[in-house]
Amino acid sequence: METQNIWNNFSDELYFFILKKVKNKEVTNDVFQNAFLKIHTNLPKLKKEEKVKAWVFQIARNEINNHFNKESSDATKLGAVKDIDLQQYEHICCFDKFINDLPEIYKQVIELIYIRGKKQKDVAQALDISLENVKARVKRAKGILKNKFNQCCKFELDKNGKLIGESNCAICKV
């Protein structure tokens, strides 16, 4: 088995597999390149050629995990705030208003977890409350936000929990 054969047979499928997981073309290109470098380097270690596809995709999964682990540790080392792609929420005109209108105990956990990118256990320590309490507050806050979106904007949640629908904001247009 040669790297060229693996490339010819799996490169397109592997690229789209990685893209589906990382959802960013630039990152996909990096992960894809690293995966093929490892495939080429470790090809002599492949024991059963009939399992090449599983082997190739396992290398890709490992590279995807490496990317996310590196991204997570870089953010932690720098104490960085996660960049949130706010463009995906621009069409939701009430987003900030709804978060700001949350009761303080719910607003606090939503901002720390979803806006600043903190882990729930870190939020629990910072606020000196139990992890279960943090989870309960997040659940309640999400319920409040869901109700506000349904009342105002006519958005709905799809089966994956993502907002769908068209903006029809009665509150915002007042």
Side-chain angles (χ1 to χ4, degrees):
M1 178 71 51
E2 294 181 9
T3 306
Q4 186 64 43
N5 292 344
I6 294 172
W7 177 270
N8 292 340
N9 292 326
F10 304 112
S11 64
D12 290 341
E13 187 179 357
L14 190 65
Y15 179 84
F16 289 109
F17 171 78
I18 295 168
L19 182 61
K20 182 179 175 185
K21 300 291 183 189
V22 300
K23 297 174 179 30
N24 179 310
K25 286 184 180 182
E26 291 176 17
V27 172
T28 297
N29 290 335
D30 290 343
V31 171
F32 183 69
Q33 184 178 17
N34 290 342
F36 258 97
L37 180 62
K38 287 195 177 174
I39 290 166
H40 178 72
T41 304
N42 293 304
L43 192 56
K45 296 178 184 177
L46 178 63
K47 294 176 183 168
K48 296 182 181 179
E49 286 189 23
E50 61 272 7
K51 295 190 177 193
V52 68
K53 184 174 182 178
W55 181 74
V56 164
F57 278 82
Q58 185 59 50
I59 289 173
R61 278 190 287 279
N62 291 343
E63 284 303 306
I64 291 166
N65 288 337
N66 289 346
H67 161 72
F68 285 121
N69 289 339
K70 181 181 182 293
E71 187 178 78
S72 175
S73 69
D74 287 349
T76 303
K77 286 179 192 172
L78 298 173
V81 173
K82 271 190 182 175
D83 289 333
I84 295 176
D85 186 9
L86 295 178
Q87 290 176 348
Q88 64 182 323
Y89 299 112
E90 281 179 354
H91 66 283
I92 305 172
C93 60
C94 308
F95 192 71
D96 289 335
K97 179 184 180 335
F98 291 158
I99 291 176
N100 289 333
D101 289 347
L102 285 171
E104 190 60 35
I105 62 171
Y106 302 137
K107 177 182 169 184
Q108 199 173 32
V109 295
I110 292 296
E111 286 181 344
L112 289 170
I113 293 169
Y114 294 104
I115 297 175
R116 294 195 180 155
K118 303 275 186 196
K119 293 184 180 181
Q120 288 184 353
K121 66 178 183 173
D122 296 334
V123 171
Q125 288 178 337
L127 298 177
D128 196 28
I129 59 176
S130 69
L131 179 58
E132 292 76 20
N133 197 333
V134 169
K135 290 179 180 183
R137 289 180 186 188
V138 167
K139 185 175 180 177
R140 288 182 194 128
K142 285 181 177 180
I144 293 168
L145 292 171
K146 179 181 173 184
N147 287 336
K148 287 190 181 242
F149 279 119
N150 287 338
Q151 291 170 357
C152 172
C153 304
K154 310 301 183 219
F155 282 103
E156 295 178 10
L157 296 174
D158 68 7
K159 66 180 180 181
N160 298 321
K162 301 216 181 219
L163 288 175
I164 58 171
E166 294 295 320
S167 178
N168 183 16
C169 296
I171 293 172
C172 298
K173 293 181 181 178
V174 175

